[in-house]
Amino acid sequence: MMHRNRIALIAGLALAAPGAAQDRPGFTDTPVLPDGKWRVHDAARPAPVVVTPAAQPGGAPADAIILFDGTSTDQWQGQRGAWPVADGAMTVPSRASSGGENNLVSKRSFGDVQLHLEFRSPNPPTKASQDRGNSGIWFMQRYELQILDGYRNPTYADGTVGAVYGWKPPLANAARAPGEWQSYDVVFERPRFAADGKLLRPAYVTAFLNGVLVQNHQAMLGTTIWKKVATYEAHGDAAPIQLQDHDSPVSFRNIWVRPLPDAAVGSASAPAGEVR
């Protein structure tokens, strides 16, 4: 009897092995999942969209929108003219050459998005704290993820590289030395608003700096503003990405994005006060 039970147990485990469900049509006997749409191992459930990944780490996958490939700033417009391009990178121009603050704004608009971007702080550094390698990624021209030379450069924690500026310090300081290329890989989820402008769900950001997690699905407080607590104001579902001119010659290369489907984002009815 024990031998027979062992055979039955092994057979049951084999049926539950990964991939076995895909080989068995129907599954009308399995329970319905919490979304109410599909059963466990439902063979009728749509398969994921096929996306060909890049051949090299940091490269753009097949479905990415290339915002900067090292040769042209055609995908961008500067507030006071284009940023100069040289040696495969574009660099924040001097205020003297541009005539004042010259943020760079993408010509396309985005909402929920995956972004890859590489940046380099000036070397040797000539200043300190917030005046050293300062720039920023402004999603929807409102919500800032900080760029700064954070290598042996003491500053306030919610303003260093990897911070949600003015709100959340990074989980770790993963900064490379000035003059070295650094990478950001970011998932930004736009806020959701009701028809009357009420905030239904805040913006969220998940960010890796040089492969190190620095923000983990972090709720954002609202539009970034210096020396004040951020707040939300209703806006559209898409807006440009902005690279900040903070009067420091920070360079950028290899910028691409993937607009994300609604399925990649949590429920729009999540509590608006859900911040950590």
Side-chain angles (χ1 to χ4, degrees), residues 10-210:
I10 293 173
L13 290 173
L15 288 175
Q22 299 174 4
D23 301 326
R24 296 170 58 200
F27 270 81
T28 56
D29 58 335
T30 57
V32 176
L33 289 164
D35 61 9
K37 299 178 181 178
W38 308 103
R39 293 182 178 274
V40 175
H41 308 317
D42 198 324
R45 194 169 187 174
V49 174
V50 175
V51 175
T52 302
Q56 300 294 330
D63 65 344
I65 296 171
I66 309 300
L67 292 183
F68 181 65
D69 65 359
T71 63
S72 170
T73 59
D74 286 349
Q75 295 294 321
W76 302 86
Q77 54 189 7
Q79 293 175 324
R80 295 176 182 269
W83 289 6
V85 176
D87 300 323
M90 61 180 178
T91 301
V92 179
S94 68
R95 295 284 175 90
S97 65
S98 61
E101 184 179 17
N102 188 16
N103 297 315
L104 200 66
V105 180
S106 67
K107 292 180 179 179
R108 301 193 193 195
S109 294
F110 304 96
D112 305 311
V113 70
Q114 173 188 348
L115 173 140
H116 175 89
L117 172 151
E118 297 169 19
F119 69 95
R120 181 178 63 193
S121 299
N123 186 41
T126 58
K127 299 179 181 180
S129 188
Q130 291 293 297
D131 292 322
R132 181 170 153 181
N134 194 326
S135 184
I137 307 168
W138 291 65
F139 292 94
M140 308 190 86
Q141 289 190 275
R142 292 172 174 85
Y143 310 106
E144 184 185 10
L145 184 63
Q146 174 75 319
I147 289 176
L148 191 79
D149 181 354
Y151 186 80
R152 299 177 181 175
N153 180 30
T155 190
Y156 46 86
D158 62 7
T160 192
V161 64
V164 176
Y165 188 80
W167 164 226
K168 277 291 180 177
L171 298 171
N173 182 346
R176 299 189 191 279
E180 295 185 25
W181 282 104
Q182 311 195 57
S183 64
Y184 257 133
D185 286 283
V186 185
V187 172
F188 172 79
E189 301 173 25
R190 67 173 177 84
R192 266 61 177 175
F193 299 95
D196 62 0
K198 177 183 177 182
L199 179 67
L200 297 177
R201 185 177 187 274
Y204 287 89
V205 65
T206 298
F208 290 82
L209 174 64
N210 299 322

